[in-house]
Amino acid sequence: MFVWYTDVEERLPRLLECLDALCESMQEDGKSVPRWVTQGIPPARAAARGYSGLLPQDWPTWVLEKTRRFTLEMAVACIPLGDLAEAVQKEGCWSPPEEFAWQWATVAAQLGSKLGEIYALVLAARLQPKAYGTFLRDAFYFWRAQFDNKADFWMEGRDRSAQCRSLTLEMGLQAVARLEDADLAQEVNGFIRKNGTDVPLPLFPLRCMLERVLGRAEITADDTRPRRTVLQSMQAPQKDEDRRGLERFRPLLRPLPLVTWPQSLSWAKLLRQEFPWMEAAICALERQQVLAQRLGADSLRLRPLLLLGPAGTGKTRFLRRLGETMGAPTLFVPLAGANDNMLLKGTARGWSSARPGFLVEMMLERQCPNPMVILDEIDKIGLGRQNGRIWETLLTFLEPASSSRVLDEFLLGEVDYSAISWVATANSLEDLPGPLRSRWEIVRVGLPQAADFDRILENVRRDVAREYGVDTVVLPNLDATVRDRLQRAFARNPRSMRDLRGVVYQLLEIQAMAERPSGRNGDWLQ
């Protein structure tokens, strides 16, 4: 047996005395005592008195079976959601109430109840969250073997296989939580898959721990990539519909591979060719990579960088290309006019719109704990207080001391944002709150020059080709005269590439119309 030896002669009479007091208290409060309890007490008391001093195996068979069944049913009735659980908790017979159930379970086990033995093990684990690790592991392996060997689980008058399977699963989960053994975690996960066992809501935190250990188990010896766990914890839901929503985020409990710094500075060369007027920003980013690699920091993480400059100078496009050339997933967050803080913090459970923060969703989708997040037009952020102010939450994300444990309102767990590379754009610092402004390394973006026209035009053509999903070679070629006039106009006023982009789109459309076969023009007009 996997339970402690129990002195039935001493414990059973004492438990019956407590049960008498509990029944009396319930009646005084106007509550009815379950009939099976009142009917079972006298035979159990007679057995305790009549066979005192005898070993259970020496009791008459019918007395042993009846007493064993009663003590088992008492154990089940006293656990949370049992028939007597509420009364036990209110009357304070035992603290915590599970201990009362455990006492009954150990007596049932000593009387030969296999189910009582399993309950005693599980309840002991609940009472001592950090103890009995190896004990529970061995018990899990033992009871799992019973299922593998097609053992008979007809106990105490009915088929208890589903009940035993659920309790065996809990033993395994409890053992994993204590030992954090990768091999054991895989065995427990295999048990879940083989039996199609759904993990009950109360065991949700244990399932989260299983996912965390499984994540470590899946990392092979030759996988040297640095990893980070995004979701540090996740509180159990109260409703099944909430659980279905939370199940999707279990992968974030496992360590995910981090994007690493590029092997060379070739990305900087590419960006200089495309954005020669962004030299100051490129130099600042180069310095960050050189220092990080000099200090042995393999995972990509930029210090918060804010590009400040006039509208239409290509700040957002530059940051998108930065993510592409560095090989980092890029998340775009437009902040102009944004007021609802739930975008970042998540919406609490219970609301119809309940969901986690936007960035958590994106990290799950990309399976990446250190994406590059572009906060576009941060200077136009809303300053309203609806559900809290966004810029104040951003302070938490940007501060190294607090960014590793940020509470998400939906997951009710701590999210690690500390590996994110934050970059932003702004046209002015005038409306940016001072505390938020101080978190950024601010780089002023210069205006493009006339000499940059060819490169800018090529960038615009590449954007058009990407939008239509084609290669740039299939785009209409602009007439040389039109191209020259466009270049002279840009040289006079190179401020807005956005305006240039709009003109190029129109010219490409006109050129495409001009290149249409003449025989089709009439059809098009019709």
Side-chain angles (χ1 to χ4, degrees):
M1 286 182 61
F2 284 92
V3 296
W4 303 261
Y5 174 76
T6 302
D7 187 349
V8 177
E9 181 180 357
E10 177 184 343
R11 182 168 296 181
L12 182 55
R14 183 159 54 88
L15 288 174
L16 289 169
E17 288 178 10
C18 290
L19 183 57
D20 284 335
L22 179 64
C23 293
E24 184 179 341
S25 177
M26 290 176 65
Q27 291 171 344
E28 289 176 355
D29 291 341
K31 296 181 179 180
S32 60
V33 180
R35 187 175 180 183
W36 66 268
V37 175
T38 57
Q39 290 180 338
I41 291 176
R45 183 178 292 111
R49 291 174 180 172
Y51 302 101
S52 177
L54 296 179
L55 295 175
Q57 55 264 35
D58 295 329
W59 291 18
T61 303
W62 69 272
V63 174
L64 180 61
E65 290 180 354
K66 195 166 186 177
T67 309
R68 182 170 60 208
R69 184 180 302 179
F70 177 75
T71 54
L72 175 63
E73 296 298 342
M74 277 302 305
V76 176
C78 294
I79 61 176
L81 304 182
D83 294 346
L84 299 176
E86 184 179 351
V88 172
Q89 185 170 7
K90 180 180 179 181
E91 298 305 326
C93 297
W94 297 89
S95 182
E98 286 85 350
E99 186 173 346
F100 196 42
W102 177 76
Q103 297 276 358
W104 285 104
T106 56
V107 171
Q110 199 66 44
L111 294 175
S113 170
K114 293 182 179 179
L115 189 55
E117 180 178 335
I118 301 179
Y119 265 114
L121 287 163
V122 169
L123 289 168
R126 294 180 188 177
L127 290 166
Q128 298 288 335
K130 296 183 180 180
Y132 313 126
T134 56
F135 196 49
L136 291 164
R137 179 196 61 197
D138 294 344
F140 166 75
Y141 283 137
F142 173 81
W143 287 105
R144 184 190 63 169
Q146 304 306 303
F147 289 101
D148 293 342
N149 297 331
K150 310 298 182 184
D152 182 13
F153 283 90
W154 185 268
M155 304 174 185
E156 280 72 49
R158 58 192 175 97
D159 182 15
R160 308 273 187 168
S161 55
Q163 198 174 10
C164 290
R165 188 177 291 111
S166 177
L167 292 169
T168 300
L169 169 60
E170 182 172 351
M171 271 191 278
L173 291 171
Q174 294 277 13
V176 170
R178 288 156 173 76
L179 301 176
E180 298 190 22
D181 185 322
D183 293 334
L184 175 61
Q186 290 177 328
E187 296 286 353
V188 173
N189 197 45
F191 183 80
I192 294 173
R193 293 179 177 177
K194 181 177 180 179
N195 294 279
T197 306
D198 190 22
V199 178
L201 272 180
L203 304 184
F204 189 84
L206 295 176
R207 181 61 185 264
C208 292
M209 175 58 75
L210 177 67
E211 292 294 334
R212 193 181 298 280
V213 178
L214 283 173
R216 291 199 293 268
E218 291 173 356
I219 303 174
T220 59
D222 57 347
D223 188 350
T224 59
R225 293 177 299 174
R227 292 176 178 261
R228 181 71 64 91
T229 301
V230 173
L231 186 55
Q232 304 302 307
S233 59
M234 186 160 50
Q235 193 174 118
Q238 300 298 319
K239 303 176 182 177
D240 280 334
E241 52 265 33
D242 288 338
R243 175 172 61 176
R244 287 190 290 271
L246 291 170
E247 288 285 331
R248 194 162 62 90
F249 296 92
R250 283 211 320 258
L252 295 181
L253 292 161
R254 302 185 179 193
L256 298 176
L258 291 153
V259 176
T260 56
W261 286 98
Q263 293 297 314
S264 67
L265 296 174
S266 57
W267 60 269
K269 182 178 180 181
L270 290 173
L271 292 180
R272 282 192 173 94
Q273 292 173 354
E274 291 186 41
F275 305 91
W277 63 96
M278 293 283 185
E279 179 63 25
I282 296 171
C283 287
L285 293 165
E286 274 185 321
R287 292 194 298 270
Q288 289 193 35
Q289 176 173 343
V290 171
L291 177 61
Q293 293 182 326
R294 169 68 176 77
L295 298 177
D298 295 330
S299 58
L300 172 62
R301 182 181 180 276
L302 303 177
R303 292 194 306 278
L305 179 71
L306 172 62
L307 299 185
L308 176 65
T313 52
K315 299 184 295 298
T316 302
R317 189 182 189 282
F318 170 79
L319 293 177
R320 288 186 184 274
R321 287 290 292 142
L322 174 66
E324 291 175 9
T325 55
M326 284 192 165
T330 303
L331 312 181
F332 183 77
V333 184
L335 290 181
N339 269 314
D340 192 350
N341 197 34
M342 297 301 102
L343 173 74
L344 298 176
K345 293 179 63 179
T347 306
R349 301 174 195 175
W351 295 94
S352 59
S353 59
R355 61 181 299 170
F358 170 74
L359 297 180
V360 178
E361 295 261 17
M362 292 301 100
M363 286 192 282
L364 173 67
E365 179 183 322
R366 310 293 175 85
Q367 290 289 286
C368 177
N370 64 328
M372 187 175 297
V373 177
I374 302 174
L375 303 177
D376 195 44
E377 297 188 301
I378 195 173
D379 55 321
K380 299 180 179 64
I381 194 171
L383 300 179
R385 294 180 178 272
Q386 179 183 355
N387 297 319
R389 294 191 289 196
I390 292 183
W391 70 267
E392 291 178 340
T393 299
L394 278 175
L395 291 180
T396 304
F397 289 176
L398 295 168
E399 189 64 43
S402 57
S403 59
S404 61
R405 292 187 175 276
V406 180
L407 177 68
D408 186 275
E409 303 261 344
F410 175 75
L411 300 174
L412 291 180
E414 295 177 331
V415 179
D416 186 354
Y417 293 100
S418 63
I420 288 178
S421 294
W422 299 93
V423 291
T425 68
N427 302 140
S428 168
L429 297 179
E430 184 176 342
D431 296 325
L432 196 65
L436 182 58
R437 186 188 316 164
S438 66
R439 277 7 183 228
W440 301 90
E441 178 180 349
I442 300 173
V443 176
R444 295 186 179 274
V445 176
L447 294 173
Q449 303 302 310
D452 302 326
F453 174 79
D454 290 337
R455 176 51 59 189
I456 295 172
L457 181 61
E458 184 59 31
N459 289 345
V460 173
R461 285 173 57 84
R462 187 181 292 112
D463 289 344
V464 175
R466 184 183 295 111
E467 183 176 325
Y468 284 94
V470 298
D471 193 88
T472 55
V473 297
V474 305
L475 294 179
N477 290 315
L478 296 180
D479 182 82
T481 303
V482 173
R483 184 185 176 106
D484 289 343
R485 292 182 62 183
L486 193 61
Q487 184 171 10
R488 288 197 297 274
F490 181 79
R492 289 194 300 272
N493 182 20
R495 285 182 174 274
S496 180
M497 289 180 292
R498 189 174 294 120
D499 293 342
L500 176 63
R501 177 188 175 92
V503 173
V504 171
Y505 262 90
Q506 295 178 26
L507 292 175
L508 289 173
E509 292 167 355
I510 293 171
Q511 188 68 34
M513 290 296 300
E515 293 175 359
R516 287 176 61 84
S518 58
R520 297 179 61 188
N521 286 341
D523 296 338
W524 177 77
L525 289 173
Q526 292 177 2

